[in-house]
Structure formats: structure tokens, C-alpha cells
Amino acid sequence: MGRPFLLYLLVMHTPLVSIVLATYNGAPFLKAQMDSLIAQTYPALEIVVVDDCSIDATVDIIKSYQHKHAHIKLYQNTSRLGHIKNFEKGMGLASGEYIALCDQDDIWLPSKIEKKMAIIGDCDMAYCDSEFIDEQGRSLGRNLSDIKNLRGYADCLAFAIGNSVSGHASVFNRRILERALPLPDYVIHDWWLTFNAVQYHQVRFTPEVLVQYRQHSRNYIGAIDVKNRKKSRDAKALRARNIRSRMKAFSAACVAENAEEKAVLEQLAASYRGFSLGNNYRRMMIFFRYKNRLLAIKKRPPVRKWLFCLKMFLNII
């Protein structure tokens, strides 16, 4: 029995993973990302690229790879969808039983998909650690696990106010999409997918660094220097509206089987309807009562978590 036939048998019994790559004017870093996707050791892959009307060389770069690799599929939007809806379209076009979201500016280690598929089992999602790199691909000497608590999670309350499972670091079963689509525009897509994934099963974690997460001035979502973002009055008002909408959506999406969690989310949603002293006090008390669960992903000492809860009364959002 020859090696090609053995490889065929292996692929036939291996779940297909669809890498969904959303692009928009990503030419400066795209080749490094594409090279890392082509180098993946997992044997059953398709790469679904959805371009959101790029005006640089992005499409030409993708086409150059597509001519050499038959498992690359390119779709070009006729009008701008934006980051979240572009990923949503890509997930809808994916054929795989499992999906891995991909940004256009990172670098994946060759075993990224293989190692996460090895641990996902009957869970809906698995993820890994990431290393920060700069625009030139040089290590910044920090990992995502240095600023967030990365571990396995089985509690949706841990994702009520933040997310630690980055889309670029995760693989998930497509059955999540039945619960998560359409994606709301007031919750970052990977956050919403994680919240829906943890409803029924644990989200599993491997502590290995399997992604180089590039930080640069054009990041749609960056993990470093978040505090330096401009906070205008309009931005704060929009943030308040998004928090209200997000908490309402989380309470609605929480399944009845998770009765305690659903009750907490409903109480939080009610407290976020306004920022009166009464609502702020109720919200603060909910945070204090469930502090260890609501702030589970935050890598902070106990005193800072206590202060975070206190901020709920001071209307700092």
C-alpha cells in the first residue's frame, strides 16, 4: 500500500477545517500570513478568503497563491461589509465541520490547527496562547497570557464583560453558528462566538504559543495600549449604548439550562438600562457578589478586582 493512498485514507477520516480569512487592504503583511497557512501540518483544510473591496494589492496576492493551491477559495465583495459582517459571510461560505478565523496580519505556527484539533474532542471550541510581534515581525517579549487569564472555561459569566479567546487563536465546531448567526454589530465577533460556545461545553485551552499576533497602527482590534485610545464624549455614549445592547443580547442568548447564569445576566441587563444611582448600586452589588466569575479572565490582583466592582457605582464604563 503506497504512501499517497495512506495519505488519502488519513484525509478521508479527518474532519475538514475551513480557515476563514477576512481581508481589506492587507497587502503589507498578507504574504507572511498566507505562507503560514500553506505550511499548516493539519491534512484536511480549505482556505476561504473574503475580500472587502480592497484597493491595494491584496486580491492580486491571494490570486497568486490560489493559482498554486487548489484549496484556496477567493470571494470578492461588491460593496463594503465591514470587519464583522465580512467574517460572517466567510463562515457562511465555509464547508468544514470546523472553522478557524484568520486575520490578515498575523503568522500561524505550522502545527496550530493540528494541535488544537487534537484537544477539542467533543467540545465546541479550543484555543491557544499568542505571542505579540511588531510590524517587522520581531517579538515584543510578551504573550497574550501575560495580560489575560487564558485557561479552559465552562462558565458563560466569565465572558459577560470581556473576552480572552481571540478569533485568531481558536478553532470551533460549525454547530456554534446555528446559535450565533447573524452576528450582532455591537459585540466583537470572536467574543460573541465564545459566549455561545461555552453555553453547552467547556472551551478548551492549550498553553502553547501557536500564533504570532502582530501589533501595529492599523490593527482593527489590538491587545496592547488599549488605554491610549481616544475617548471622546460621543465615543463614550456609543460605548454605553453598546454595553446595554450587549448585555441584553447575552441574557437572551443564555440558555434556560444555565438558570443561575441567566438570572445574573438578566439582572445586569436591567441595571444597564440606565446609569441612575439606583442602577449603579445594583450593578455594583452584582459585581461584588459574582466578582470571581465575572472577572475571571482579568489578570488582576484581588484589590484591583475589588476596585473594578466599586467603579460600577461611579458610572465608569
Side-chain angles (χ1 to χ4, degrees):
M1 188 177 294
R3 182 179 177 85
F5 184 69
L6 289 173
L7 182 59
Y8 169 79
L9 289 178
L10 175 63
V11 173
M12 288 298 291
H13 291 83
T14 302
L16 178 66
V17 175
S18 296
I19 298 173
V20 175
L21 170 59
T23 61
Y24 175 66
N25 291 345
F29 309 115
L30 188 55
K31 288 184 179 180
Q33 178 66 293
M34 289 301 299
D35 286 341
S36 74
L37 302 187
I38 297 302
Q40 289 298 299
T41 57
Y42 188 80
L45 291 174
E46 69 168 0
I47 300 174
V48 178
V49 185
V50 183
D51 184 75
D52 203 20
C53 303
S54 292
I55 58 174
D56 65 357
T58 293
V59 171
D60 291 335
I61 292 171
I62 297 299
K63 286 181 177 179
S64 71
Y65 282 88
Q66 190 179 28
H67 290 155
K68 300 175 184 177
H69 304 280
H71 64 302
I72 299 176
K73 302 173 183 178
L74 172 63
Y75 301 89
Q76 295 176 253
N77 296 338
T78 56
S79 60
R80 287 290 315 278
L81 295 181
H83 189 72
I84 293 175
K85 290 301 179 181
N86 202 34
F87 268 119
E88 181 177 302
K89 179 178 178 178
M91 288 186 284
L93 293 166
S95 303
E97 181 181 350
Y98 293 87
I99 296 173
L101 302 184
C102 181
D103 295 322
Q104 62 189 3
D105 47 8
D106 300 327
I107 299 173
W108 291 9
L109 273 63
S111 60
K112 175 180 183 282
I113 298 294
E114 180 181 358
K115 289 187 174 180
K116 284 186 294 184
M117 288 299 292
I119 68 166
I120 194 168
D122 60 355
C123 293
D124 283 343
M125 181 178 284
Y127 73 113
C128 63
D129 200 356
S130 307
E131 176 192 22
F132 295 117
I133 59 173
D134 66 11
E135 292 197 34
Q136 287 71 43
R138 297 172 301 208
S139 174
L140 293 174
R142 299 175 72 190
N143 296 340
L144 191 57
S145 57
D146 293 325
I147 61 175
K148 292 186 178 183
N149 281 328
L150 304 188
R151 57 175 175 81
Y153 286 96
D155 181 5
C156 67
L157 290 186
F159 300 97
I161 63 165
N163 182 38
S164 61
V165 184
S166 300
H168 70 259
S170 67
V171 168
F172 57 89
N173 193 303
R174 70 174 303 112
R175 62 188 172 217
I176 292 177
L177 301 183
E178 298 173 7
R179 309 190 291 268
L181 296 183
L183 299 176
D185 58 7
Y186 43 80
V187 187
I188 300 300
H189 58 283
D190 50 9
W191 186 358
W192 181 247
L193 290 166
T194 302
F195 183 86
N196 280 276
V198 80
Q199 291 290 312
Y200 295 94
H201 300 283
Q202 181 189 33
V203 172
R204 289 184 174 162
F205 173 65
T206 174
E208 291 186 77
V209 171
L210 299 175
V211 182
Q212 292 181 310
Y213 184 13
R214 197 185 302 268
Q215 303 294 294
H216 57 90
S217 59
R218 289 180 293 172
N219 275 116
Y220 179 78
I221 301 170
I224 299 179
D225 293 331
V226 174
K227 293 181 180 179
N228 293 330
R229 294 176 185 170
K230 186 177 180 180
K231 295 182 179 179
S232 66
R233 180 175 299 179
D234 289 342
K236 290 181 179 179
L238 176 60
R239 177 171 166 78
R241 290 196 298 271
N242 285 346
I243 288 174
R244 292 189 192 104
S245 298
R246 183 168 66 238
M247 205 59 66
K248 183 178 179 181
F250 284 159
S251 65
C254 188
V255 297
E257 291 87 339
N258 298 329
E260 181 186 11
E261 291 81 359
K262 190 171 184 69
V264 174
L265 292 168
E266 288 174 346
Q267 292 171 41
L268 281 174
S271 77
Y272 274 112
R273 289 174 188 159
F275 296 98
S276 65
L277 292 179
N279 279 334
N280 290 355
Y281 177 78
R282 282 188 287 273
R283 186 165 55 254
M284 178 185 70
M285 296 309 295
I286 294 169
F287 270 83
F288 272 121
R289 183 177 179 183
Y290 296 96
K291 176 173 79 277
N292 291 334
R293 298 174 67 182
L294 289 169
L295 305 182
I297 71 168
K298 293 187 176 295
K299 202 155 194 174
R300 296 180 177 179
V303 65
R304 289 196 62 195
K305 289 187 176 182
W306 190 91
L307 289 172
F308 187 97
C309 297
L310 185 62
K311 285 182 179 181
M312 295 300 106
F313 181 73
L314 302 175
N315 193 19
I316 297 176
I317 59 172

